[in-house]
């Protein structure tokens, strides 16, 4: 195997663009100096566009889970009624955090691989008054499901006074996101997925409505206190030491997104999804999710006549290609391909043509090249 | 198109492995200090293995052409009879350099795309005594031909007293090279091909026999005087300022080659050649060279029902994939795919699956996926 080649197609971390890697390697600067102030000033407006909001995007040094916890501890406290939509492992994580803080957790669970049906939420909210916050996952990384957060937002605001809080970790930056228009109150994402950075930075945008709740919420929090981040960011600063090299990289990421055009970025992700799905459909290997529920950033596949873990092992050994396995009860049942961030249709073709070889070696009964051909046909339109 | 993605599959420069890129970015050091001495000491033995020689490999800051010129000006002078084997643009370059120095140039030309027949050289040398040096190209980059330099060496030494001087620029490091065993007197290569570095460094190895000629040769030369490089390298030094970051990179390249194993490196190149050739054969698009003459590092393809330049333009525009066109009279007639150095079977699958799309868009009548499938089948063996 070619030494040094890493083909990383898990649903995060995703590969880093070379110019971002270069940007991150610039020498350190003082984080209380003018240069950091200017860096934050440059980052702020572009980031709003990615989130689809007029609000400032708060930047916290921490992984996506820190962002999820921040969304919880700033808005609810012990005994509050919360509704968590659980469509997979990351919806479940929101519920775990809410449990840890002794809120009264209501759950709507779907079968893994299915998106939530907004009508179910409507019925739930109609029959359960007093829900203070509804938590949902935009893209459920563990299953490759994209939940209809725009529709859910409308329902939450029509049938309750709850805040609507969304985990957008594995898709913001890769799929259309209109936080303000849709009515999302808090939107969280992480750096290591469609944002094309290493992990270590979590992003939160907060609606005016949510700020009122946050101001009043008595739950103890210090590092994750969003007010501190808001007040400092208003002065182009941060309350605690920022992860500077990630900010250097973020500035370049936003430049790349602007160069390509956000709409083009979304189209590319859509195309990569369709290429991937058509390939496995042509190979007659079942997809975990249906077309409506499928995320443009990650695809989960449920093999029939070969073992997912055999395939993953072979791909890693022969090509140093990493695809993800299943999480929790899906372990060994599925494999997942990340096609987000710094990933192109050319990369999708590569992954598919390699996986076809891997499937053959794992004992799957497929016709070589058929998946690649289907993906090529989607590309050609 | 995904900003920042560069898919570089021309026959040099080739992509740089990430660890080599990192190695090259280390801070500068003094080139007359102990650290540079140690660096050269570390590089020397490994490099001999790549060339298949016990001689030290001389390192000159310059491109491959500087290396070719060094091979000429150190061994021959005005009026000397030389024989140049011309199988394409780079054989022609050797002839041009020999002409510039007013040697008496004999040429054996083959049709582009063909390797030289050693028997033709045998007959030529039998009927032309007094040839002082025979110049040949190991891999002719312009056509993707690998000339049988082992056989030619034997003939040169059997039927003449000439030195045998070989341009190995586009293959040394990617194909089996046994300079001493085969009887090559001077072997030249460059950094930007199978050696996985940026351009800017040329390498020459010189046999004991050739040193005798070099000592006696009266042709003026200063920067390219190989004796200066030899004498300095014996003391782990260089006569002039070395291209230090390329040396930092070279140390890492040699480490990567050692990790993979040179025999494995050669097998990988052989496999990439066979995958590429089988793909175009399956697509019924003619290859410029036959199986015996084909180089493991570059493949030239001669399209029938579409235009090579249309294809190249489309691949660049849609995927930022660069493949090379033809040189001199082959311009517009062929396109060339580099598969050397930091390139894997996974990359070959990507290039082929992209090119299939490009061919369709350029109006070629092919069955999508058929070339990819043929390459996959070769991989599976």
């Amino acid at each position: 195997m070619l030494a040094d080649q890493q083909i990383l197609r898990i649903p995060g971390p995703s590969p880093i663009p070379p110019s971002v890697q270069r940007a991150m390697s610039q020498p350190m600067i003082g984080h209380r100096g003018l240069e950091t102030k200017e860096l934050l000033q440059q980052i702020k407006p572009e980031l709003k566009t990615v989130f689809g909001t007029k609000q400032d995007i708060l930047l916290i040094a921490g992984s996506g889970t820190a962002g999820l916890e921040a969304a919880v501890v700033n808005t609810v406290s012990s005994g509050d009624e919360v509704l968590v939509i659980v469509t997979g492992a990351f919806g479940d994580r929101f519920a775990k955090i809410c449990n840890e803080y002794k809120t009264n957790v209501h759950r709507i669970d779907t079968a893994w691989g299915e998106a939530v049906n907004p009508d179910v939420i409507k019925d739930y909210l109609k029959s359960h008054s007093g829900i203070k916050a509804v938590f949902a996952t935009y893209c459920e990384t563990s299953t490759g499901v994209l939940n209809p957060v725009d529709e859910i937002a409308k329902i939450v605001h029509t049938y309750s006074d709850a805040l609507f809080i969304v985990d957008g970790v594995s898709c913001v930056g890769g799929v259309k996101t209109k936080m303000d228009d849709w009515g999302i109150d808090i939107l969280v994402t992480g750096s290591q997925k469609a944002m094309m950075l290493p992990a270590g930075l979590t992003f939160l945008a907060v609606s005016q409505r949510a700020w009122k709740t946050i101001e009043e919420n008595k739950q103890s929090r210090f590092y994750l206190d969003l007010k501190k981040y808001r007040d400092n960011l208003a002065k182009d600063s941060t309350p605690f030491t920022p992860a500077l090299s990630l900010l250097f990289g973020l500035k370049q990421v936003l430049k790349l997104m602007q160069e390509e055009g956000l709409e083009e970025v979304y189209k590319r992700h859509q195309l990569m999804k369709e290429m991937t799905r058509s390939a496995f459909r042509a190979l007659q290997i079942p997809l975990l999710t249906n077309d409506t529920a499928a995320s443009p950033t990650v695809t989960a596949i449920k093999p029939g006549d070969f073992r997912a873990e055999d395939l993953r092992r072979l791909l890693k050994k022969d090509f140093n290609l990493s695809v993800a396995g299943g999480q929790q009860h899906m372990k060994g049942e599925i494999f997942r391909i990340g096609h987000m961030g710094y990933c192109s249709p050319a990369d999708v073709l590569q992954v598919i043509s390699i996986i076809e070889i891997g499937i053959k070696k794992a004992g799957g009964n497929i016709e070589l090249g058929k998946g690649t051909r289907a993906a090529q046909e989607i590309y050609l339109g």
Side-chain angles (χ1 to χ4, degrees), chain A:
Chain A
M1 191 171 61
L2 176 59
D4 229 27
Q5 185 174 44
Q6 181 73 255
I7 309 180
L8 187 65
R9 296 296 166 214
I10 58 176
S14 60
I16 314 296
S19 67
V20 175
Q21 200 80 17
R22 288 195 299 276
M24 288 193 301
S25 70
Q26 67 187 75
M28 280 300 122
I29 55 178
H31 61 278
R32 294 299 174 223
L34 186 62
E35 287 157 307
T36 300
K37 208 181 184 69
E38 286 171 353
L39 182 60
L40 287 167
Q41 282 166 353
Q42 288 158 346
I43 286 170
K44 277 161 74 174
E46 287 303 321
L47 211 43
K48 291 180 183 185
T49 317
V50 176
F51 276 66
T53 182
K54 286 176 185 157
Q55 308 300 322
D56 275 345
I57 315 301
L58 314 177
L59 300 165
I60 305 180
S63 78
T65 301
L68 301 186
E69 179 162 347
V72 172
V73 293
N74 281 274
T75 55
V76 296
S77 51
S78 171
D80 284 345
E81 310 269 329
V82 304
L83 172 60
V84 185
I85 317 294
V86 181
T87 57
F90 290 95
D92 191 52
R93 182 159 304 178
F94 248 151
K96 280 188 175 126
I97 298 170
C98 290
N99 277 324
E100 179 66 28
Y101 287 97
K102 302 189 171 50
T103 61
N104 190 350
V105 177
H106 302 247
R107 287 173 69 121
I108 292 177
D109 278 86
T110 67
W112 282 37
E114 286 177 18
V116 68
N117 176 351
D119 287 339
V120 173
I121 302 173
K122 186 206 287 185
D123 295 344
Y124 200 93
L125 289 174
K126 280 163 100 172
S127 60
H128 294 78
S129 62
I131 300 281
K132 214 181 151 196
V134 175
F135 294 89
T137 317
Y138 192 1
C139 173
E140 175 51 64
T141 321
S142 61
T143 60
V145 158
L146 195 78
N147 284 297
V149 288
D150 50 346
E151 293 176 52
I152 303 172
K154 204 176 290 176
I155 283 167
V156 169
H157 298 313
T158 310
Y159 298 96
S160 80
D161 293 322
L163 292 178
F164 183 46
I165 296 171
V166 173
D167 165 2
V169 172
S170 63
C171 65
V172 169
V175 302
K176 195 173 141 183
T177 304
K178 298 281 170 202
M179 173 173 163
D180 290 355
D181 292 355
W182 294 346
I184 295 173
D185 290 302
I186 299 186
L187 179 58
V188 185
T189 196
S191 47
Q192 78 281 18
K193 311 261 184 176
M195 296 303 290
M196 305 191 277
L197 288 165
L201 201 60
T202 184
F203 307 68
L204 289 103
V206 178
S207 72
Q208 285 304 327
R209 202 168 153 261
W211 279 122
K212 289 204 188 77
T213 307
I214 292 172
E215 297 283 359
E216 291 159 10
N217 186 39
K218 300 292 184 218
Q219 172 64 49
S220 298
R221 71 270 191 189
F222 191 84
Y223 183 67
L224 296 179
D225 183 4
L226 295 180
K227 297 194 303 302
K228 294 189 176 79
Y229 289 88
R230 176 195 61 187
D231 297 346
N232 278 274
L233 193 57
K235 298 174 284 177
D236 302 314
S237 183
T238 57
F240 312 115
T241 311
L244 268 179
S245 46
L246 292 171
L247 297 185
F248 295 153
L250 178 56
K251 183 182 154 190
Q252 178 60 19
V253 161
L254 294 167
K255 185 164 177 277
L256 290 179
M257 285 181 169
Q258 202 187 18
E259 272 172 28
E260 185 176 357
L262 260 189
E263 285 306 316
E264 289 302 314
V265 171
Y266 300 155
K267 270 190 217 163
R268 170 166 54 81
H269 282 81
Q270 193 65 27
L271 177 58
M272 294 194 294
K273 171 187 88 171
E274 286 166 16
M275 288 170 73
T276 307
R277 290 177 67 81
S278 70
F280 288 96
R281 206 174 278 125
L283 295 170
Q284 296 180 287
I285 301 173
L287 297 157
L288 181 67
T289 64
N290 66 29
D291 283 347
T292 325
S295 169
T297 55
V298 50
T299 299
I301 296 113
K302 200 170 159 47
D305 63 347
F306 61 93
R307 292 172 58 184
E309 294 306 299
D310 287 347
L311 174 67
R312 290 180 61 228
R313 190 176 31 76
L314 286 162
L315 295 175
K316 187 70 185 163
K317 183 174 161 283
D318 280 17
F319 297 100
N320 207 14
L321 165 62
S322 303
V323 298
Q327 291 176 290
Q328 298 184 14
H329 66 278
M330 284 290 189
K331 207 172 157 65
E333 298 294 310
I334 58 170
F335 64 95
R336 294 173 297 146
I337 303 171
H339 34 77
M340 64 175 81
Y342 185 58
C343 185
S344 71
D347 296 319
V348 169
L349 291 170
Q350 181 179 51
V351 167
I352 291 167
S353 54
I354 296 175
I355 287 181
E356 288 182 331
I357 290 178
I359 291 174
K360 269 280 186 204
K361 288 186 98 169
N365 179 26
I366 57 155
E367 191 182 308
L368 282 173
K370 204 171 177 182
T372 304
R373 181 191 174 129
Q376 289 170 323
E377 280 167 349
I378 293 289
Y379 183 91
L380 284 166

